[in-house]
Amino acid sequence: MMKPSMLRSLHSAAARGASHLSRRGFASEPVPERKVAVLGAAGGIGQPLSLLMKLNPLVSSLSLYDIAGTPGVAADVSHINTRSEVVGYQGEAELGKALEGADVVIIPAGVPRKPGMTRDDLFNINAGIVKALCTAIAKYCPHALVNMISNPVNSTVPIAAEVFKKAGTYDEKRLFGVTTLDVVRAKTFYAGKANVPVAGVNVPVVGGHAGITILPLFSQATPKANLDDDVIKALTKRTQDGGTEVVEAKAGKGSATLSMAYAGALFADACLKGLNGVPDVVECSFVQSTVTELPFFASKVRLGKNGVEEVLGLGSLSDFEQQGLESLKPELKSSIEKGIKFANQ
């Protein structure tokens, strides 16, 4: 059963979308036209993500692409009474049309994790898919903000960067690894232990987007709660293993699709707000970085009209977090190098 509050918020999102339309003739600052493309729109993450992007009043054109199944998803989603026009594109021959003029491209394409699979087992399949999609992005919408969801993100973001460099279109301000689900989980788990309303909770999560490379900074969480060290350790481990928790609970029938779609929609919304000039939009993301000695790293990022306005530092870390930071670096470094090597094969 859907909560009344959830229905209300969905309804208000739809109403906002409609009110944007009615105001556009008169408003002194109309909402800009924005095209969002979802690559992998017929998949487990792609379908709920497409639904959530259809509810976003900042989107004027929603382009749904997959190798199969997209006409059905597009027809279904297009009936929803919100602002955006929806078009479905199916098969490689239509990829160019799907991408042309896109402001934001979200990539949940690829295969999901199955029980017993590591994110590295996904590598060979998803790396090839990402390489092909990024080659098309470089050709058809080289200035789009690219939101990479396809795992392993620690490797797929470096692959994308290499593909764009080869094409001569690379702009490090426009490429993002979506680590928002780690933040969403950290907030949820922290709120449960700190016994505070989750809506007001903030927890930065840095590092990468797999296992021990995920480093939630609970020492910087707000509102402050004096949790015991062992509780912090358990919260950290649960955040790191959140994906595995869902894979096991689904018992072979998939991975985190719904919570990932929610997190992907949140991050895409932040990118759109940044593009539209909303001030002080800050989210964690896996980006090209000089915060550590590694070439890519997730930390807080200020978003703006060109994508990344500023990569923010880590702030002060507890001893436990400092230790976590040092121990994640070798694994993250090797994942990044693996991606670069694959892209240059």
Side-chain angles (χ1 to χ4, degrees):
M1 182 73 185
M2 207 181 251
K3 281 191 194 146
S5 60
M6 175 71 170
L7 275 170
R8 275 199 303 275
S9 67
L10 285 175
H11 193 74
S12 66
R16 279 199 304 277
S19 70
H20 275 301
L21 269 181
S22 57
R23 278 208 311 270
R24 292 188 66 221
F26 315 101
S28 55
E29 287 182 49
V31 179
E33 300 282 313
R34 294 291 178 202
K35 175 172 172 175
V36 173
V38 180
L39 307 186
I45 297 166
Q47 290 198 41
L49 178 58
S50 299
L51 169 64
L52 292 169
M53 295 318 294
K54 179 70 176 108
L55 298 181
N56 190 319
L58 302 181
V59 182
S60 59
S61 169
L62 184 60
S63 173
L64 305 183
Y65 171 82
D66 214 320
I67 50 170
T70 355
V73 176
D76 196 352
V77 169
S78 73
H79 292 179
I80 293 168
N81 60 322
T82 54
R83 178 188 181 198
S84 52
E85 295 292 322
V86 182
V87 186
Y89 299 92
Q90 179 169 272
E92 278 173 50
E94 298 192 350
L95 179 54
K97 279 191 290 187
L99 290 170
E100 264 163 6
D103 296 287
V104 177
V105 179
I106 314 173
I107 312 181
V111 297
R113 276 171 77 198
K114 304 263 187 346
M117 253 181 142
T118 66
R119 281 191 167 86
D120 269 359
D121 294 333
L122 299 179
F123 180 83
N124 289 324
I125 304 168
N126 289 358
I129 293 169
V130 165
K131 194 174 178 180
L133 294 174
C134 289
T135 303
I137 290 168
K139 184 173 176 185
Y140 294 104
C141 56
H143 302 299
L145 302 190
V146 177
N147 293 4
M148 184 69 69
I149 291 173
S150 306
N151 269 319
V153 166
N154 294 352
S155 303
T156 53
V157 170
I159 288 169
E162 292 301 307
V163 170
F164 297 151
K165 281 177 194 170
K166 275 200 191 121
T169 64
Y170 182 54
D171 178 353
E172 71 273 17
K173 295 186 165 135
R174 294 175 182 271
L175 175 60
F176 303 89
V178 180
T179 59
T180 315
L181 182 51
D182 303 325
V183 177
V184 164
R185 285 174 173 147
K187 287 178 178 181
T188 301
F189 303 158
Y190 177 85
K193 289 293 184 193
N195 205 16
V196 293
V198 71
V201 167
N202 218 334
V203 184
V205 182
V206 304
H209 182 59
I212 65 153
T213 70
I214 299 166
L215 185 62
L217 303 181
F218 289 114
S219 71
Q220 296 177 25
T222 54
K224 272 249 166 286
N226 292 319
L227 299 177
D228 292 346
D229 289 356
D230 56 340
V231 174
I232 296 289
K233 275 183 185 153
L235 282 175
T236 300
K237 180 130 181 61
R238 191 174 176 206
T239 304
Q240 290 171 339
D241 295 342
T244 306
E245 187 177 311
V246 176
V247 167
E248 287 172 358
K250 288 192 175 181
K253 294 199 166 57
S255 59
T257 51
L258 303 171
S259 51
M260 184 60 247
Y262 169 74
L266 271 187
F267 188 74
D269 179 65
C271 287
L272 290 165
K273 284 177 177 153
L275 286 175
N276 290 353
V278 175
D280 295 319
V281 179
V282 176
E283 293 290 338
C284 292
S285 183
F286 185 67
V287 295
Q288 186 176 309
S289 174
T290 55
V291 165
T292 68
E293 63 276 21
L294 300 177
F296 295 90
F297 200 81
S299 65
K300 287 200 272 191
V301 172
R302 181 172 287 109
L303 299 166
K305 292 188 175 184
N306 300 303
V308 175
E309 291 293 313
E310 186 187 1
V311 179
L312 303 171
L314 300 182
S316 63
L317 306 184
S318 69
D319 291 347
F320 174 67
E321 290 159 358
Q322 191 61 53
Q323 198 182 330
L325 176 64
E326 292 316 312
S327 54
L328 73 79
K329 283 178 184 174
E331 183 174 322
L332 184 51
K333 181 171 189 274
S334 101
S335 296
I336 293 167
E337 285 168 355
K338 187 172 180 177
I340 293 169
K341 185 176 168 209
F342 177 88
N344 292 316
Q345 270 167 12

